[in-house]
Amino acid sequence: MKIRLVLGASVAALSVCAGTVAAAPALPETKAVPAGSTSPSTGFDPAELKSALDGVHRAGIPGVYAEVREAGRTWRGASGVADVTTGRPVTPDMRQRVGSITKTFTAAAVMQQVEQGRVRLDAPIGGYLPHLVPGERGMKITVRMLLNNTSGIPDYIPYAFPSLQAFPSLPDVSPKSLDDNRFRQFRPAELIEMGLAAPPAGEPGAPTGVYSNTNWLLLGQLLQQVTGTPAEEYITRNVIERAGLRHTRFPTGPRIRGPHSRMYEAFYGLIDPPRDYSVYNMSWTGTGAALVSTMEDLNRFYTKLLDGKIVNGSSLAQMQRTVPVRALDGTMIEYGLGLHKVGTACGTFWGHDGTVWGAGTISLTRADGKRQMSVAVNLQRWNKPDSSGKPQPHPIDYALKALYRQAMCGERNAEAENASQVPAFVP
């Protein structure tokens, strides 16, 4: 899904029900783990990282866990609970539905096909998938436009989840379709048709793009067309396995395999108390946002990708050519081909973030590869609205901002406030 949320000038529009944190047990310990060189590093303080992580839990997130790496040192931590009923604690190695981080994996797979000459970035998608994007529209929209969200094709989410169509007008929104779709099996073609049938979000190739999950289901169908293999299988063999990821996979059913948290959705106070959506049929998002992974695997993946181990240097350069893209709440992001660019006072970071019902994840790696953070939370859309329907600030927003600042730049960096521009959970 795609509801753009930014910490900084605007508030991440999320909320939590009162009393959740009160049920939490003592916070589990965090630890620093040597990984190669253990030379001292300014701004890499395990105690400060632990404190920032605990602050997110105290602010209202039931469970939060993370892995931060810097110059050969690795810190992993967890704070809070995976289950608010039993008090089962979260742990740093838990599996997570990572939402739109999946898009970087899909983009890397497409770029591999570009390298092999089976796909041309500036070729029309209608030449590959005339049955899905026929006619003049298919001839105007290129593969590159799908990858950088400048196709003008709108998102199918409001049509697959009809009770959300009035968003962001919260008084006119209901979470009913979240439950209606819990076990529904969608076909990519029917979701793509929903997006193509909606009013266009813009002209193909416009200088400003509009983020749309429909693009990413089309890219999955493109992969299947040119490889003769289901996109999920191709991505698994040629991206996930090539990166050496042990705990990353597309789900084959509604349940997550391996240790994981429950995933609580509040939907801006409309679901109170927040409801667990960890069991869910992810066919509604497929190659756009269905992956399950761990924080360790995400850091490893982005290391390999930015080192040129998943795609070659020319492909990576294409992926890092950004355009301004407008999210559904009107905010702007710098978006390449499946990669976000985030500028901070301590450097430029690359990666992605994502959310599905109840789960939010972000993974960012500094351009020099020497600093990484991956963070997961098990509550989404916690900000309750005011009388006008506008979601209001919550302590969680500021606690996450502090965690990102510490994880990306370290407390000693006085200018690290710029890390507040890091996106928070883009589905």
Side-chain angles (χ1 to χ4, degrees):
M1 61 183 290
K2 175 67 178 77
I3 301 173
R4 167 67 178 167
L5 308 168
V6 177
L7 294 178
S10 62
V11 173
L14 312 170
S15 179
V16 66
C17 107
T20 300
V21 176
L27 304 178
E29 286 299 313
T30 55
K31 59 182 179 179
V33 181
S37 171
T38 57
S39 59
S41 173
T42 301
F44 191 85
D45 185 330
E48 294 293 343
L49 288 164
K50 178 184 187 300
S51 176
L53 197 73
D54 291 347
V56 174
H57 170 57
R58 286 193 300 269
I61 291 291
V64 53
Y65 44 105
E67 181 184 271
V68 179
R69 298 183 180 185
E70 198 222 22
R73 303 179 71 195
T74 300
W75 172 89
R76 301 182 185 101
S79 187
V81 297
D83 187 321
V84 298
T85 301
T86 67
R88 173 171 59 94
V90 285
T91 59
D93 61 346
M94 281 185 161
R95 279 62 166 172
Q96 172 87 338
R97 296 196 191 277
V98 299
S100 283
I101 290 174
T102 305
K103 291 176 171 63
T104 310
F105 288 76
T106 299
V110 171
M111 295 309 297
Q112 290 176 354
Q113 292 303 298
V114 171
E115 292 170 10
Q116 295 178 32
R118 293 177 179 166
V119 171
R120 289 186 298 115
L121 280 176
D122 296 309
I125 190 60
Y128 298 103
L129 302 173
H131 58 296
L132 290 177
V133 195
E136 183 180 359
R137 196 178 196 182
M139 290 298 104
K140 287 184 175 180
I141 295 171
T142 66
V143 175
R144 185 190 302 275
M145 293 174 195
L146 298 176
L147 285 162
N148 67 10
N149 290 301
T150 61
S151 71
I153 301 174
D155 204 312
Y156 62 82
I157 297 292
Y159 307 97
F161 293 84
S163 71
L164 306 182
Q165 279 191 24
F167 184 86
S169 177
L170 292 178
D172 301 313
V173 169
S174 160
K176 179 179 182 297
S177 55
L178 276 67
D179 295 305
D180 291 344
N181 287 343
R182 186 185 286 267
F183 297 107
R184 179 175 174 181
Q185 182 68 31
F186 285 100
R187 293 179 297 105
E190 70 177 305
L191 296 170
I192 291 167
E193 185 177 358
M194 291 177 190
L196 289 171
E203 287 296 317
T208 297
V210 179
Y211 191 103
S212 172
N213 285 284
T214 312
N215 295 326
W216 296 88
L217 295 191
L218 279 166
L219 290 165
Q221 294 302 291
L222 171 64
L223 279 171
Q224 180 168 319
Q225 179 69 26
V226 299
T227 66
T229 303
E232 290 85 353
E233 291 184 18
Y234 179 86
I235 294 167
T236 298
R237 288 202 306 266
N238 296 279
V239 179
I240 294 171
E241 292 179 4
R242 182 179 294 190
L245 311 184
R246 298 181 300 159
H247 306 300
T248 301
R249 58 177 55 90
F250 285 96
T252 56
R255 297 184 181 276
I256 299 173
R257 294 166 53 189
H260 63 279
S261 171
R262 294 189 181 275
M263 297 170 186
Y264 298 101
E265 180 63 48
F267 209 86
Y268 312 102
L270 295 180
I271 305 175
D272 192 1
R275 192 172 304 146
D276 171 28
Y277 286 100
S278 57
V279 177
Y280 212 94
N281 184 326
M282 298 303 292
S283 62
W284 66 275
T285 189
T287 48
L291 272 180
V292 173
S293 190
T294 62
M295 302 308 99
E296 180 181 17
D297 268 11
L298 292 180
N299 279 340
R300 180 179 179 87
F301 167 66
Y302 282 107
T303 293
K304 295 284 187 178
L305 178 68
L306 297 173
D307 278 350
K309 303 293 176 58
I310 308 298
V311 299
N312 65 29
S314 175
S315 293
L316 183 60
Q318 292 285 346
M319 292 178 75
Q320 293 178 318
R321 287 176 56 185
T322 65
V323 295
V325 170
R326 187 176 304 280
L328 295 189
D329 68 352
T331 58
M332 301 301 298
I333 55 178
E334 290 189 67
Y335 203 86
L337 308 185
L339 281 174
H340 282 227
K341 180 182 180 182
V342 178
T344 78
C346 57
T348 296
F349 286 74
W350 294 95
H352 216 292
D353 54 342
T355 175
V356 292
W357 307 125
T361 316
I362 185 166
S363 186
L364 292 172
T365 297
R366 201 166 64 197
D368 63 6
K370 294 182 178 179
R371 187 87 178 203
Q372 293 183 285
M373 77 162 188
S374 290
V375 178
V377 297
N378 63 1
L379 175 73
Q380 287 293 266
R381 284 160 282 277
W382 52 78
N383 294 75
K384 292 184 178 179
D386 61 13
S387 59
S388 70
K390 181 180 179 180
Q392 293 301 291
H394 191 285
I396 291 170
D397 305 323
Y398 308 110
L400 275 173
K401 191 163 138 181
L403 173 60
Y404 294 161
R405 196 162 57 233
Q406 184 62 233
M408 296 173 72
C409 298
E411 187 185 51
R412 293 187 182 91
N413 189 325
E415 297 181 84
E417 184 68 24
N418 286 346
S420 66
Q421 298 305 312
V422 177
F425 315 131
V426 179

